[in-house]
Amino acid sequence: MDIDKDEILVNQYVNGDKSRSVCFIASKGTRFFKKPVPLRFQGLDADKRYAFDFDSRHYEKGGAFLMNVGIDIEVIGNDYNKILIIEEIQRDIVIFEDKERMQVTQKSTVI
């Protein structure tokens, strides 16, 4: 993201095992009638899945997607300040066997 062009400030921190991240997002000026901009994250694990809520939407995406594609955000107004917390989704795979078939069930939890 080109800060001068897009007029948006982003500061991101990721913990050591890449299971959590926090992003601080702010506009450095008044933004009205501007198009959404892609927010691409850095430092996540490409093989992990992450969950977060942002602007009344819930996201569950892979680390590779978040770092390469990202999400489109609308930064509107003159006092735009957001904090975004990203957490790894822990996937537990439970296998049940019966005589005729094997059934696999996934359970998702945010750690």
Side-chain angles (χ1 to χ4, degrees):
M1 184 175 297
D2 183 345
I3 292 174
D4 290 325
K5 177 184 164 211
D6 295 327
E7 304 168 348
I8 299 168
L9 305 171
V10 178
N11 199 0
Q12 180 182 0
Y13 298 93
V14 180
N15 70 350
D17 66 356
K18 299 183 179 185
S19 63
R20 287 193 169 153
S21 177
V22 61
C23 285
F24 301 94
I25 306 165
S27 64
K28 67 177 188 178
T30 304
R31 288 183 51 90
F32 291 102
F33 309 109
K34 304 259 180 151
K35 65 180 182 174
V37 294
L39 175 61
R40 292 181 191 91
F41 302 94
Q42 298 177 357
L44 302 176
D45 186 324
D47 296 325
K48 291 183 179 180
R49 290 194 55 80
Y50 295 93
F52 58 93
D53 294 314
F54 188 73
D55 285 345
S56 303
R57 289 190 58 197
H58 180 75
Y59 293 88
E60 288 189 16
K61 302 286 183 188
F65 179 89
L66 292 171
M67 291 188 294
N68 294 303
V69 177
I71 62 168
D72 286 338
I73 63 171
E74 284 191 81
V75 178
I76 299 173
N78 58 349
D79 287 329
Y80 186 93
N81 294 296
K82 299 273 183 162
I83 297 174
L84 172 61
I85 298 173
I86 302 169
E87 296 183 297
E88 177 188 358
I89 299 172
Q90 182 66 43
R91 297 234 184 247
D92 298 326
I93 298 178
V94 182
I95 299 176
F96 300 93
E97 287 188 52
D98 64 16
K99 293 180 182 178
E100 296 180 9
R101 68 176 191 262
M102 182 182 295
Q103 181 180 21
V104 177
T105 304
Q106 288 191 358
K107 175 175 71 171
S108 298
T109 55
V110 176
I111 60 172

